[in-house]
């Protein structure tokens, strides 16, 4: 099964994608994570990516499409994928359709996660992840069972994203509304768009997604 989780930054895409990986054996393909890995490796492309991301801007469409296209070919994606953070523009959505058709693949569901902007700022500025396994947490909404220790792997090191500050969040939300929200009618017209209430608590959002994918 191939899914897209679509929603503004902080909507809970990463949180739900991780649950779907565990429950369904799907692979989460987060273009944000891929780009951050590229920045960490350094090099000229990494440096360029860093500058664009630090400004809260979007990467070029063709780069993103080829990055996803290569990743989808890997054998671990055999049960299907969850795209998280991609596509971000209608041009990317069209390019994705073409690329999937060439590979004989299709999208089963595009799940929109609807959340108010005010809640997003609170979620993004409070989020952090385990430095070792990547599990996501939040200062208020999802704290580890034992303070300072990752539930999933026991690590005591955590990290916060450089772009998860109140100033950059504003630009990222503007980008979402201007560039990414127009994808919704694109998928609605193709009959694959479903919407969940991303304002609900994490378990309830998971239930709504399960009901859609069956
Ligand atoms: P995205 O991947 O869409 O940017 P995340 O999954 O990183 O969003 O979620 C952003 C923050 O909000 C995280 O700290 C996460 O723990 C928290 N969060 C996710 N879903 C919910 C929810 N339904 N209710 C409250 N907080 C949530
Ligand atoms: Zn961990």
């Amino acid at each position: 099964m191939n899914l897209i989780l679509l929603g503004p930054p902080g909507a809970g895409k990463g949180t739900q994608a991780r649950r779907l990986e565990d429950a369904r054996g799907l692979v989460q393909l987060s273009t944000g994570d891929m780009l951050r890995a590229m920045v960490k490796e350094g090099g000229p492309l990494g440096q360029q990516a860093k500058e664009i991301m630090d400004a809260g801007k979007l990467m070029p469409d063709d780069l993103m499409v080829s990055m996803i296209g290569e990743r989808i070919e890997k054998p671990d994606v055999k049960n299907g994928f969850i795209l998280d953070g991609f596509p971000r523009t209608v041009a990317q959505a069209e390019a994705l359709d073409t690329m999937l058709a060439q590979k004989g693949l299709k999208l089963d569901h595009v799940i929109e996660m609807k959340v108010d902007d005010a809640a997003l700022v609170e979620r993004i500025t409070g989020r952090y992840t385990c430095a070792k396994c990547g599990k996501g947490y939040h200062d208020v909404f999802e704290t580890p069972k034992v303070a300072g220790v990752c539930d999933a792997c026991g690590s005591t090191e955590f990290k916060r994203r450089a772009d998860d500050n109140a100033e950059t969040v504003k630009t990222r939300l503007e980008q979402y509304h201007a560039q990414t929200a127009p994808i919704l009618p694109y998928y609605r017209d193709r009959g694959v768009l479903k919407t969940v209430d991303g304002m609900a608590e994490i378990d309830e959002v998971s239930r709504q997604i399960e009901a859609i994918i069956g």
Side-chain angles (χ1 to χ4, degrees):
M1 176 170 4
N2 299 320
L3 307 175
I4 296 179
L5 294 181
L6 196 61
K13 301 182 297 293
T15 303
Q16 296 298 332
R18 201 169 161 106
R19 288 176 166 219
L20 287 165
E21 281 194 312
D22 294 344
R24 303 270 177 156
L26 305 176
V27 175
Q28 174 192 11
L29 305 181
S30 161
T31 45
D33 288 350
M34 291 180 195
L35 289 167
R36 282 184 288 279
M38 204 164 92
V39 170
K40 224 175 148 189
E41 278 171 24
L45 208 53
Q47 180 57 35
Q48 194 197 340
K50 182 180 182 325
E51 281 163 22
I52 294 172
M53 282 195 287
D54 284 351
K57 302 261 173 64
L58 297 180
M59 304 291 292
D61 290 344
D62 51 350
L63 176 70
M64 303 311 298
V65 175
S66 54
M67 205 164 89
I68 287 290
E70 272 176 34
R71 185 63 186 84
I72 283 176
E73 303 267 302
K74 301 268 163 70
D76 62 320
V77 190
K78 62 184 184 307
N79 290 332
F81 57 77
I82 309 156
L83 287 177
D84 161 7
F86 180 90
R88 281 273 227 289
T89 63
V90 173
Q92 289 180 3
E94 288 166 349
L96 174 66
D97 275 348
T98 308
M99 188 253 287
L100 290 176
Q102 279 164 0
K103 296 183 195 298
L105 297 170
K106 71 172 183 69
L107 293 170
D108 294 285
H109 306 282
V110 176
I111 300 174
E112 177 198 7
M113 304 185 65
K114 251 199 154 106
V115 181
D116 300 342
D117 279 6
L120 294 172
V121 175
E122 194 188 9
R123 285 190 190 180
I124 291 176
T125 53
R127 79 174 161 189
Y128 59 97
T129 53
C130 171
K132 198 170 160 215
C133 77
K135 180 172 171 18
Y137 294 96
H138 189 282
D139 294 326
V140 179
F141 304 123
E142 205 187 3
T143 54
K145 290 189 184 73
V146 178
V149 182
C150 176
D151 296 344
C153 76
S155 167
T156 53
E157 272 184 56
F158 297 88
K159 57 182 184 186
R160 286 177 196 262
R161 280 168 50 173
D163 59 351
D164 278 352
N165 57 74
E167 186 49 42
T168 311
V169 166
K170 235 184 108 225
T171 317
R172 287 159 68 200
L173 288 178
E174 283 164 10
Q175 290 271 2
Y176 178 79
H177 292 298
Q179 310 258 21
T180 309
I183 302 179
L184 295 167
Y186 176 87
Y187 286 126
R188 192 174 293 123
D189 290 347
R190 282 158 183 76
V192 289
L193 186 74
K194 319 279 159 50
T195 301
V196 298
D197 176 15
M199 295 293 286
E201 62 173 81
I202 295 172
D203 285 343
E204 169 57 20
V205 178
S206 297
R207 279 192 287 274
Q208 292 185 15
I209 293 175
E210 289 292 330
I212 289 167
I213 66 181

